[in-house]
Amino acid sequence: SFPKQDLSLPNGTPVDTSSPASSSSLLNRLQLDDDLDGETRDLFVTVDDPKKHVCTMETYITYRVTTKTTRAEFDLPEYSVRRRYQDFDWLRNKLEESQPTHLIPPLPEKFVVKGVVDRFSEEFVETRRKALDKFLKRITDHPVLSFNEHFNVFLTAKDLNAYKKQGMALLSKMGESVKYVTGGYKLRSRPLEFAAIGEYLDTFSLKLGTIDRIAQRIIKEQLEYLVELREYGPVYSTWGGLEVELSEPLEGVSACIGNCCTALEELSEDMTEDFLPVLREYILYSESMKNVLKKRDQVQAEYEAKLEAVALKKEDRPKVPTDVEKCQDRVECFNADLKADMERWQNNKRQDFRQLLMGMADKNIQYYEKCLTAWESIIPLLQDKPETK
Amino acid sequence: MEDCLAKKMEITVSEAEKRTGRNAMNMQETYTAYLIETRAVESQNEGQCSPVDSLWRRYSEFELLRNYLLVTYPHIVVPPLPEKRADFVWHKLSADNMDPDFVERRRIGLENFLLRVASHPVLCQDKIFYSFLTQEGGWKEMVNETGFQLKADSRLKALNATFRVKNPDKRFTELKHYSDELQSVISHLLRVRARVADRLYGVYKVHGNYGRVFSEWSAIEKEMGDGLQSAGHHMDVYAASIDDILEEEEHYADQLKEYLFYAEALRAVCRKHELMQYDLEMAAQDLTSKKQQCEELATGTMRTFSLKGMTSKLFGQETPEQREAKIKVLEEQIQEGEEQLKSKNLEGRDFVKSAWADIERFKEQKNHDLKEALISYAVMQISMCKKGIQVWTNAKECFSKM
């Protein structure tokens, strides 16, 4: 049997224990994993339909967030709300605060250099939409995060801003710091398995950074190649204008090169819009994960410090070391949550990269297939014998 | 129609060798010598192969041969030599004349030149050409003895000098214009093609970096590792494949270059015709003025102003004897002039006839060759696309196993 555990979240907030997912016990987590592994999905979230809003103070984009669910935590089976980027940002911050032992998915970058990137261009908005959709889907797939109340409100509230203000007011009343900070405890040494995770993340983000640079370089080279091709094709056409018998073949070659230009343009666009953003997402993911590791270190450090302090006061009657026990719980919960999340993350990462890289290969195959079709189609044109004069 | 030499004789430029020697100023120089091998083509019934004859020639000797042909057959579009110096190079290709790739492509170009001449219905019958292929020693002297340099019109060298022809032959004017345009467009094409090759090289080579980073990444992965590693290998293959692709494309560029230089040869024929026409018109003009002078002297009238005439008027008339003498001289000159004009006219008509025949032959050859070149270029592109599809399909399969 399990010892009675203090089923409060590490930041001290009391929790409704009727919902199985609110408990941070390992057993419950495993059960939930089993459920979500299969087909018993009961929550579906989509981000689509970006719309531009022009107001006196500012111009911004909102996205439609659609929810379909059979979960008891939701009053209705369907919801449709409009959210803007800063709402997503708010949600992420809230999740980090309220679920500090879990890995929170990353958001696409907040700031874009004005003038360099057009924040309202179709490509930019679409790239962002995909990233925001992925963000919510990752939360939806998470057995703990998907039950978070802030997430619920985000998906359902008509007026999110009212809720946001309410939250702020409540906290200032309570006078409690929102951030989960354990105060300057320093960990002597990270346990092996978490050190390994840390090292892995370091190398992983390093390699992704390299791949990002290579991909950017390739796109750059492709665009420069495209510039030359755009001059090359028309010269054949000019030549065709000089000739009589060779006119058609030369025009054919010119048109063919033109088709290859279009195909190349499409390839570069695809890589820019689909490939690079996902790489960057994972780099951000790694960064936030490393921060979670650090938080875990702090929790452990606090526990070890308090434990040491108790050990030094052995002669006193044994204090009910609820404080130390609480710390121990926190460490164990954190470690369990983190390990579970890491496993889930590794699995998702593998699938994401498998899909991403297969997609990259696919796009290149399609590019070459388009060019192949173009060149094969002009062979008969080139071989065509004119009528003997 | 006599069979051209190419049908009777197998000609190859089979080797190239670096040599050192002393030049005309007794300074040491390095040059490349090319081995020309010839063998009589046997009829199909004979089982034996005839022996191979061979001799060495350097580029300057080829140039001498071509200059001789240019002067001796001004109405023929003389096949061009491969370029003297590497031009239209993209960065990886060396512009160095001693570079082995350049030498190899030049060897092929020289062989092509000899085959072109040997298959030309007129040029193949030339004795100097035959000796070039078969007689190692004393060939240079033989060529110089023909005195062709004296026949060469120095005016042909002044490419852009204009000669005001009063009645230009429209066909030749159009053809000259065409050859100028052709030179311009092929030059442009070759320049851009070189830049395209350069950029394409860059695209392929950067992909090689994926190979290294995938390998490094695979080291920290468990399940993903193998897939990444093997995909990386395919990226290396992809990056390496561009070298052969572009090497093959150089042959296409060489085919274009041949016609770039052919355009020059075409222009030379037009130019020659222009000069002939000019000379003809000048001769006719000269004859007309002499006839006029003669008439004036005979009738005592002066229709055209001349200083002599004026001075004789001022300082007294000539004696009748003097006048007679002058008339006689002029009459002789007029007769000479008329004969010359007749032969020039004949020459001109012959030139036009034979030049135009060769130009028609050249046009057909050009259309055929360039079509073949475009087809082979398309085939190269198709091959490159297929290789690309193959590599990325292999990589995709590796990724799918991640």
Side-chain angles (χ1 to χ4, degrees):
Chain A
S1 66
F2 283 85
K4 178 140 199 316
Q5 288 187 342
D6 181 4
L7 295 169
S8 55
L9 290 178
N11 65 1
T13 318
V15 161
D16 173 20
T17 53
S18 60
S19 168
S22 319
S23 160
S24 24
S25 84
L26 194 60
L27 182 63
N28 289 332
R29 205 158 301 113
L30 287 170
Q31 273 180 344
L32 288 160
D33 274 355
D34 282 341
D35 284 345
L36 285 172
D37 261 354
E39 298 74 30
T40 55
R41 209 176 241 271
D42 55 0
L43 177 65
F44 298 87
V45 179
T46 312
V47 178
D48 64 4
D49 189 35
K51 275 202 167 67
K52 195 165 165 185
H53 299 258
V54 183
C55 306
T56 40
M57 291 303 279
E58 57 176 343
T59 306
Y60 59 92
I61 308 268
T62 64
Y63 304 84
R64 180 176 65 182
V65 178
T66 315
T67 307
K68 287 191 172 74
T69 181
T70 54
R71 286 190 185 180
E73 289 76 18
F74 293 84
D75 294 332
L76 300 171
E78 265 189 60
Y79 291 91
S80 180
V81 296
R82 295 212 73 94
R83 298 284 180 250
R84 55 186 290 191
Y85 181 91
Q86 63 188 27
D87 297 331
F88 286 83
D89 196 36
W90 168 88
L91 173 63
R92 191 175 190 282
N93 288 331
K94 276 281 171 277
L95 287 173
E96 269 195 322
E97 281 167 23
S98 55
Q99 317 276 180
T101 63
H102 288 286
L103 303 175
I104 316 295
L107 277 177
E109 272 151 18
K110 191 178 211 167
F111 299 110
V112 284
V113 184
K114 280 191 194 169
V116 176
V117 180
D118 180 6
R119 293 176 298 141
F120 303 109
S121 75
E122 252 184 73
E123 295 83 22
F124 178 80
V125 171
E126 175 59 15
T127 303
R128 212 175 224 203
R129 185 204 64 78
K130 280 192 216 152
L132 295 174
D133 183 76
K134 190 85 210 241
F135 170 71
L136 291 184
K137 285 189 159 74
R138 279 172 171 153
I139 298 170
T140 307
D141 285 348
H142 196 286
V144 176
L145 295 179
S146 63
F147 286 93
N148 182 282
E149 65 168 304
H150 302 297
F151 182 53
N152 187 309
V153 174
F154 177 90
L155 292 177
T156 60
K158 280 288 168 220
D159 185 357
L160 189 62
N161 285 328
Y163 178 79
K164 286 186 199 177
K165 289 196 187 115
Q166 196 183 70
M168 293 300 284
L170 194 67
L171 285 162
S172 58
K173 269 193 197 161
M174 286 172 74
E176 208 177 285
S177 168
V178 184
K179 287 225 153 72
Y180 177 72
V181 166
T182 48
Y185 293 99
K186 191 114 202 263
L187 186 68
R188 247 167 259 134
S189 69
R190 219 180 226 181
L192 227 59
E193 59 180 323
F194 294 107
I197 292 174
E199 275 167 33
Y200 169 83
L201 289 173
D202 280 337
T203 311
F204 177 70
S205 50
L206 212 70
K207 294 308 150 195
L208 285 194
T210 306
I211 293 173
D212 180 75
R213 277 193 301 281
I214 295 170
Q216 277 189 64
R217 177 82 190 277
I218 289 174
I219 292 168
K220 177 170 171 281
E221 296 283 340
Q222 280 172 343
L223 290 176
E224 286 176 345
Y225 172 55
L226 186 62
V227 167
E228 302 300 347
L229 272 187
R230 288 213 188 283
E231 194 185 322
Y232 185 50
V235 182
Y236 281 98
S237 197
T238 307
W239 188 358
L242 276 184
E243 300 286 339
V244 175
E245 220 183 282
L246 292 174
S247 163
E248 258 183 59
L250 288 167
E251 276 300 335
V253 171
S254 178
C256 196
I257 294 171
N259 289 336
C260 294
C261 286
T262 308
L264 183 60
E265 208 170 21
E266 283 163 16
L267 174 64
S268 299
E269 262 171 35
D270 282 346
M271 289 298 285
T272 307
E273 284 162 33
D274 296 336
F275 187 77
L276 293 179
V278 177
L279 282 179
R280 291 184 189 145
E281 221 172 76
Y282 263 92
I283 294 173
L284 290 171
Y285 218 157
S286 305
E287 290 311 306
S288 77
M289 285 159 75
K290 283 192 253 184
N291 285 333
V292 177
L293 275 174
K294 285 185 196 146
K295 280 191 220 159
R296 192 219 67 86
D297 287 348
Q298 291 204 302
V299 171
Q300 182 177 340
E302 185 182 352
Y303 166 63
E304 285 175 358
K306 290 194 173 152
L307 193 65
E308 234 180 79
V310 165
L312 290 170
K313 295 183 190 163
K314 252 198 213 153
E315 39 282 37
D316 293 335
R317 58 179 166 90
K319 247 201 266 184
V320 179
T322 39
D323 203 29
V324 180
E325 260 185 38
K326 272 193 188 167
C327 277
Q328 188 184 27
D329 272 348
R330 274 187 221 159
V331 176
E332 284 173 7
C333 289
F334 210 134
N335 290 350
D337 283 351
L338 197 51
K339 273 195 269 191
D341 271 16
M342 264 316 288
E343 215 182 290
R344 190 176 301 112
W345 181 87
Q346 283 284 12
N347 213 22
N348 289 336
K349 173 213 78 186
R350 186 168 69 88
Q351 283 177 35
D352 284 347
F353 275 97
R354 185 173 172 276
Q355 192 183 46
L356 183 74
L357 292 168
M358 281 178 76
M360 170 173 93
D362 247 339
K363 291 184 179 95
N364 278 280
I365 292 169
Q366 281 163 31
Y367 160 72
Y368 278 113
E369 280 179 345
K370 285 177 202 163
C371 294
L372 180 66
T373 306
W375 285 105
E376 279 182 336
S377 70
I378 65 152
I379 292 278
L381 175 74
L382 294 176
Q383 288 174 329
D384 190 34
K385 299 243 178 291
E387 297 295 313
T388 45
K389 291 174 193 166
Chain B
M1 180 71 151
E2 207 185 307
D3 251 348
C4 57
L5 192 60
K7 294 213 172 83
K8 293 189 268 189
M9 184 191 249
E10 246 176 58
I11 305 168
T12 56
V13 177
S14 52
E15 274 170 51
E17 213 176 72
K18 222 187 212 175
R19 299 266 176 90
T20 45
R22 296 225 169 251
N23 67 6
M25 285 167 284
N26 209 31
M27 297 197 314
Q28 200 179 50
E29 59 168 357
T30 320
Y31 63 91
T32 310
Y34 299 87
L35 183 67
I36 302 175
E37 288 185 325
T38 52
R39 186 172 73 187
V41 171
E42 294 301 307
S43 66
Q44 285 182 337
N45 293 328
E46 296 203 24
Q48 299 160 307
C49 260
S50 53
V52 174
D53 281 325
S54 65
L55 47 75
W56 292 90
R57 294 263 184 237
R58 53 186 295 191
Y59 189 87
S60 57
E61 290 176 273
F62 280 85
E63 277 185 309
L64 185 59
L65 170 66
R66 186 165 190 270
N67 288 336
Y68 161 79
L69 292 172
L70 277 171
V71 173
T72 315
Y73 304 90
H75 56 289
I76 300 285
V77 182
V78 177
L81 285 170
E83 54 193 353
K84 190 158 194 166
R85 261 160 282 279
D87 206 354
F88 304 112
V89 287
W90 59 280
H91 90 279
K92 201 208 155 203
L93 233 52
S94 175
D96 175 19
N97 280 7
M98 288 291 149
D99 178 74
D101 283 334
F102 177 76
V103 169
E104 172 59 17
R105 294 208 327 279
R106 198 191 238 194
R107 182 193 66 72
I108 295 169
L110 291 174
E111 185 178 286
N112 191 51
F113 166 74
L114 293 178
L115 290 172
R116 290 273 195 210
V117 177
S119 23
H120 191 283
V122 174
L123 298 178
C124 72
Q125 296 176 49
D126 188 274
K127 298 278 180 294
I128 296 286
F129 173 60
Y130 188 79
S131 312
F132 180 86
L133 296 173
T134 54
Q135 183 185 325
E136 181 140 31
W139 178 81
K140 256 200 200 158
E141 289 73 15
M142 192 193 288
V143 183
N144 290 328
E145 265 165 38
T146 62
F148 80 91
Q149 279 106 334
L150 300 169
K151 285 192 222 155
D153 194 333
S154 59
R155 290 177 299 172
L156 282 169
K157 295 224 172 99
L159 276 173
N160 290 321
T162 47
F163 296 88
R164 268 177 298 125
V165 173
K166 290 199 190 105
N167 292 312
D169 186 326
K170 201 161 170 218
R171 291 179 303 170
F172 280 97
T173 318
E174 276 172 18
L175 191 65
K176 184 156 155 236
H177 181 71
Y178 167 78
S179 69
D180 285 339
E181 298 277 284
L182 188 66
Q183 270 188 292
S184 166
V185 86
I186 298 183
S187 301
H188 189 192
L189 195 63
L190 285 167
R191 270 198 309 276
V192 185
R193 194 214 68 90
R195 294 205 302 263
V196 167
D198 221 359
R199 293 300 181 190
L200 190 61
Y201 183 79
V203 171
Y204 271 75
K205 286 301 177 191
V206 179
H207 278 85
N209 293 316
Y210 274 145
R212 189 174 53 242
V213 75
F214 282 168
S215 181
E216 290 166 4
W217 183 9
S218 72
I220 59 168
E221 297 291 343
K222 297 189 190 85
E223 287 161 338
M224 279 168 54
D226 286 340
L228 273 176
Q229 177 91 321
S230 42
H233 161 72
H234 291 297
M235 291 294 99
D236 286 334
V237 168
Y238 181 73
S241 68
I242 193 65
D243 294 296
D244 284 346
I245 289 168
L246 288 177
E247 177 58 44
E248 234 198 304
E249 256 193 46
E250 280 310 306
H251 294 295
Y252 171 69
D254 284 341
Q255 285 174 298
L256 292 180
K257 272 181 217 172
E258 195 194 9
Y259 275 91
L260 174 67
F261 303 141
Y262 250 130
E264 239 176 85
L266 191 64
R267 190 183 198 279
V269 174
C270 298
R271 198 76 168 123
K272 180 68 189 175
H273 175 263
E274 199 177 72
L275 282 175
M276 283 182 86
Q277 184 75 356
Y278 178 77
D279 282 348
L280 186 74
E281 285 179 0
M282 287 290 107
Q285 211 177 315
D286 188 56
L287 185 66
T288 311
S289 88
K290 285 206 162 77
K291 281 184 177 169
Q292 242 173 31
Q293 272 179 40
C294 203
E295 197 197 310
E296 282 165 21
L297 283 175
T299 59
T301 58
M302 197 177 77
R303 258 185 283 152
T304 57
F305 176 82
S306 81
L307 190 59
K308 252 200 188 144
M310 282 309 291
T311 51
S312 69
K313 272 227 156 164
L314 287 170
F315 298 106
Q317 301 248 330
E318 310 166 292
T319 63
E321 291 82 16
Q322 283 174 315
R323 221 175 334 143
E324 277 303 319
K326 272 204 192 132
I327 290 172
K328 204 157 199 126
V329 169
L330 277 170
E331 278 179 347
E332 272 173 31
Q333 286 180 336
I334 287 166
Q335 190 162 26
E336 241 181 77
E338 280 190 327
E339 274 170 28
Q340 266 192 16
L341 194 63
K342 218 188 209 168
S343 74
K344 270 199 162 79
N345 261 311
L346 207 67
E347 212 187 314
R349 275 201 294 274
D350 279 343
F351 181 92
V352 170
K353 189 162 150 214
S354 43
W356 214 255
D358 197 56
I359 285 161
E360 289 301 324
R361 181 207 60 80
F362 168 74
K363 275 188 191 162
E364 256 186 68
Q365 174 199 296
K366 174 204 74 169
N367 287 335
H368 174 268
D369 288 350
L370 288 174
K371 228 184 229 186
E372 291 297 312
L374 288 175
I375 291 170
S376 76
Y377 184 66
V379 168
M380 275 182 234
Q381 299 306 305
I382 287 168
S383 161
M384 181 171 85
C385 290
K386 285 189 173 162
K387 277 189 206 157
I389 291 170
Q390 185 64 63
V391 166
W392 282 104
T393 305
N394 291 340
K396 186 178 173 187
E397 214 188 293
C398 296
F399 290 138
S400 75
K401 297 196 181 124
M402 268 167 57

